[in-house]
């Protein structure tokens, strides 16, 4: 006899709900987000982009290759991802923020 592998049919709705909550986090709600959440997102985005580009410009201005090559920008992108993780953002948002931050850090020089 073959045994069925995987969760039982009764556990599947709970499993999908858990996976959806893990991936999307609090972003899974209906309607417009509160204004304070939009403002916080814009502020974090502006500060993250400013930190990544600012470290690159400062490194190019002072002649420090570790700052101008984008390593410090990668650290700033990781700091933004760490902040998003602590705030409780979903994994999809954290992943997109890390990917875009790393691309910006490596393209800034």
């Amino acid at each position: 006899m073959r045994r069925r592998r995987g969760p039982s049919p009764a556990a599947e709705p709970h499993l999908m709900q858990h996976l959806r909550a893990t991936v999307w986090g609090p972003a899974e709600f209906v309607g417009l987000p509160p204004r304070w959440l939009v403002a916080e997102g814009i502020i974090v985005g502006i500060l993250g982009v400013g930190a990544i580009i600012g470290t690159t410009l400062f490194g190019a201005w002072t002649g420090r290759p570790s700052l101008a090559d984008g390593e410090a920008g990668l650290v700033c992108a990781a700091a933004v991802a760490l902040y998003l993780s602590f705030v409780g953002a979903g994994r999809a948002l954290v992943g997109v923020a890390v990917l875009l931050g790393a691309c910006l850090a490596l393209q800034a020089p």
Side-chain angles (χ1 to χ4, degrees):
M1 284 232 123
R2 288 189 166 205
R3 298 176 101 189
R4 183 173 181 223
R5 293 183 182 173
S8 66
E12 287 184 15
H14 298 293
L15 179 64
M16 290 304 295
Q17 184 179 10
H18 172 71
L19 287 175
R20 192 177 308 118
T22 302
V23 170
W24 294 112
E28 184 186 2
F29 60 89
V30 179
L32 294 174
R35 291 180 193 250
W36 65 268
L37 187 60
V38 172
E40 183 180 0
I42 290 173
I43 290 171
V44 169
I46 289 172
L47 289 178
V49 168
I52 292 171
I53 294 175
T55 56
T56 303
L57 291 176
F58 183 72
W61 184 41
T62 59
R64 296 182 182 172
S66 63
L67 293 176
D69 289 341
E71 286 96 2
L74 289 174
V75 171
C76 294
V80 169
L82 193 64
Y83 172 75
L84 289 173
S85 296
F86 284 144
V87 169
R91 291 181 182 174
L93 177 63
V94 174
V96 168
V98 168
L99 181 67
L100 292 176
C103 290
L104 178 64
L106 296 176
Q107 288 294 322

